[in-house]
Amino acid sequence: MTLDRTASPLAAAARAHETDFGPEVFRARRERFLEGIGAGTAVIAAAPELLLSRDTEVPYRQNSDFFYLTGFLEPEAVAVLTPHDPEHRFTLFVRPRDPEKETWSGRRAGVEGAREAYGADAAHPIAELDERLKDLVEPGDALWYALGSWEEMDRRMLALVAGFRRSRPRQGKGPVDVRDPAGVLDRLRMVKEPREIARIRAAAELSAQAHLAAMRAVRPGMGEWELQALIEHTFRAAGPECGPAYGTIVGSGAGSTVLHYVTNDRRIGDDEIVLVDAGAEIGYYCGDITRVLPASGRFTPPQRALYGVVHRALETGISLVAPGETVLGVHEAVRRVLVEGMVELGLLAGDVDGLIESEAFKRFFMHQTSHWLGLDVHDAGPYTEPGGGSVVLRPGMVLTVEPGIYVAADAEEVPDEYRGLGIRLEDNVLVTEAGGEILTRGVPVDVDEVERVVAARGGG
Ligand code: GLY
Ligand code: MN
Ligand code: MN
């Protein structure tokens, strides 16, 4: 499937990739971040390169925090942010240019590029990090570093801190506290800029196109992996900055009840449902959609009944998304609709409030309804306010709404016809001034429409 990049929202995203993410965007973000860290020094490291085995590399993807603050996509880089130094607030350590190494692994920005293209006030080869870090960090009142994310970097930072601890009694210098930059960064990242929303919108749109392609192709006898290939082809073919945001889930039959089923190695049977959870990433921003397809083109009555409950919960949750509502409020409303449905279908017996109170529903609905969406599929941002209580939604936040009911194949004391059925429906919603805007309805979710699309596929 070829996408028309001049007509689709992807074209807009591709243009945005070139024009809307210039160095001034990252500079403005760093300024906001620096305000948050006061008189401290922040050290933010690029993601490490990972090996599968021997010398085979895992495709590299930059650490989202590092990308958010620098736009720099290469590994072996460290950003040091020093608000206390008026001239050098942003120092970037990078791999130097090296014609021989670049022959093997591609062009590097180098020290000059770090200054010219990425707006670093100062740039140095990464090999100089340890010797220069002490002077950069010493004047700050705290070291802002995400301990626990990468062992090798942790060791270097602990050595630095240990050095200050030894010298502080006599010299009276060096930060006393080590603080997690997430405390400041996550709050910035959870409210999206218009240019970020444009990319998330494009990623959501592309995710929907891939789900539509899967709906039009699914049939009994097909391998789950074939559906995965079709979806990921749709992502990749859309542009060089496009790909899967996470491991595509194609779970047929009882595979639909496994939340993060990624083996995708089963052939789809007659009259089975296929749960597809797949999202595209465009220029580092993610979409995340789940749909459930009837392989034969028609849901069986129990499949349809379960689908109906989850769909009702989805629409209830989405209808609540608006400034002032909370993430917990959305979850509680969704949970109530699901539990009422579980009672109607005979999965649970008893009074709805009691079943919520006792958490008996967790046998069938064991996850939260929403997560933030952005640079990461499970994006940065707390779910509770600093003073306690669930986070209040504000315009510019993007979240998923994804209710589900999963009845294990060997579940006891449930009507037989629901065993081995898992239904999850997932959309992405932008919080606007007026309420919530669904970004993912380029693919149908209504049960009749889904059947129509699947049944219209033609062929055998
Ligand atoms: N695709 C993972 C999730 O829905 O959270
Ligand atoms: Mn999700
Ligand atoms: Mn998902």
Side-chain angles (χ1 to χ4, degrees):
M1 171 175 158
T2 312
L3 294 167
D4 178 357
R5 290 171 59 80
T6 54
S8 77
L10 307 178
R15 278 197 303 277
H17 191 62
E18 285 143 25
T19 58
D20 271 11
F21 279 76
E24 68 292 344
V25 169
F26 299 98
R27 181 183 299 278
R29 291 176 178 175
R30 286 192 298 274
E31 289 304 320
R32 287 199 298 278
F33 175 65
L34 286 172
E35 272 171 38
I37 67 168
T41 306
V43 177
I44 315 277
E49 290 172 291
L50 300 176
L51 293 181
L52 275 172
S53 56
R54 295 163 65 91
D55 59 356
T56 307
E57 288 158 9
V58 176
Y60 186 73
R61 198 231 191 232
Q62 190 54 276
N63 161 11
S64 296
D65 282 340
F66 191 83
F67 172 79
Y68 184 81
L69 290 172
T70 68
F72 196 72
L73 300 180
E74 294 178 30
E76 294 189 84
V78 171
V80 184
L81 302 169
T82 44
H84 40 77
D85 182 339
E87 280 177 27
H88 296 102
R89 290 160 72 84
F90 173 36
T91 303
L92 203 48
F93 291 86
V94 298
R95 302 180 304 187
R97 299 292 312 272
D98 182 329
E100 195 197 321
K101 292 210 167 108
E102 288 178 41
T103 303
W104 288 90
S105 53
R107 192 175 152 83
R108 301 170 168 189
V111 170
E112 248 173 53
R115 275 196 295 263
E116 282 165 16
Y118 295 91
D121 301 316
H124 308 285
I126 186 73
E128 296 176 17
L129 178 68
D130 288 332
E131 69 189 75
R132 290 184 181 271
L133 211 46
K134 179 172 174 292
D135 288 344
L136 286 164
V137 171
E138 194 174 65
D141 69 355
L143 168 62
W144 294 76
Y145 169 75
L147 265 179
S149 23
W150 176 26
E151 246 174 71
E152 187 199 319
M153 198 62 198
D154 284 358
R155 266 198 300 277
R156 293 162 89 160
M157 302 312 289
L158 290 174
L160 182 73
V161 169
F164 288 133
R165 243 214 340 246
R166 278 193 297 275
S167 63
R168 195 181 304 112
R170 290 187 189 283
Q171 296 179 1
K173 289 195 267 186
V176 177
D177 297 333
V178 179
R179 297 192 198 145
D180 192 336
V184 175
L185 258 178
D186 287 9
R187 293 211 159 260
L188 292 177
R189 280 181 53 187
M190 75 194 291
V191 179
K192 273 64 181 176
E193 303 158 4
R195 65 176 64 77
E196 295 184 286
I197 292 169
R199 278 203 193 172
I200 296 170
R201 192 186 289 286
E205 185 75 28
L206 177 57
S207 306
Q209 287 185 33
H211 275 269
L212 202 52
M215 250 178 218
R216 289 178 174 146
V218 69
R219 66 198 64 222
M222 196 179 198
E224 292 170 345
W225 62 93
E226 293 179 79
L227 222 44
Q228 174 186 1
L230 173 64
I231 289 165
E232 294 181 4
H233 169 78
T234 309
F235 294 161
R236 290 262 181 237
E241 68 284 358
C242 304
Y246 54 89
T248 299
I249 295 168
V250 181
S252 64
S256 62
T257 66
V258 179
L259 298 187
H260 286 169
Y261 177 90
V262 286
T263 41
N264 301 347
D265 60 357
R266 189 175 170 274
R267 277 198 190 278
I268 300 165
D270 294 336
D271 288 328
E272 286 185 350
I273 51 168
V274 186
L275 184 150
V276 180
D277 184 344
E281 176 181 301
I282 296 187
Y284 274 73
Y285 287 85
C286 303
D288 182 8
I289 300 180
T290 307
R291 292 291 185 264
V292 176
L293 320 176
S296 69
R298 275 295 186 128
F299 288 103
T300 63
Q303 292 167 355
R304 184 174 259 268
L306 210 55
Y307 192 108
V309 171
V310 177
H311 187 205
R312 224 183 311 144
L314 175 74
E315 299 298 354
T316 300
I318 290 174
S319 72
L320 284 174
V321 172
E325 182 54 77
T326 63
V327 178
L328 183 63
V330 172
H331 177 65
E332 286 179 345
V334 160
R335 186 178 64 186
R336 177 162 292 275
V337 175
L338 290 177
V339 176
E340 284 168 359
M342 289 173 199
V343 173
E344 268 168 41
L345 300 179
L347 291 171
L348 291 175
D351 132 81
V352 169
D353 287 319
L355 293 166
I356 291 173
E357 174 79 27
S358 68
E359 300 194 331
F361 67 87
K362 282 199 171 171
R363 270 180 82 195
F364 307 113
F365 175 49
M366 55 297 278
H367 56 78
Q368 292 294 312
T369 298
S370 302
H371 56 80
W372 307 122
L373 187 68
L375 282 170
D376 293 303
V377 65
H378 294 167
D379 205 33
Y383 295 92
T384 51
E385 295 287 358
S390 178
V391 160
V392 178
L393 297 177
R394 282 180 280 149
M397 292 176 166
V398 183
L399 68 159
T400 65
V401 178
E402 48 179 307
I405 297 183
Y406 314 89
V407 187
D410 58 358
E412 290 176 4
E413 294 169 26
V414 297
D416 203 31
E417 65 262 36
Y418 298 118
R419 291 208 175 103
L421 294 183
I423 308 271
R424 174 167 68 256
L425 298 172
E426 175 175 28
D427 278 309
N428 306 156
V429 188
L430 165 70
V431 185
T432 64
E433 298 286 346
E437 181 192 342
I438 312 174
L439 304 177
T440 38
R441 287 291 164 90
V443 59
V445 68
D446 175 80
V447 70
D448 295 322
E449 268 185 76
V450 171
E451 282 189 345
R452 229 183 344 264
V453 174
V454 175
R457 67 202 156 190

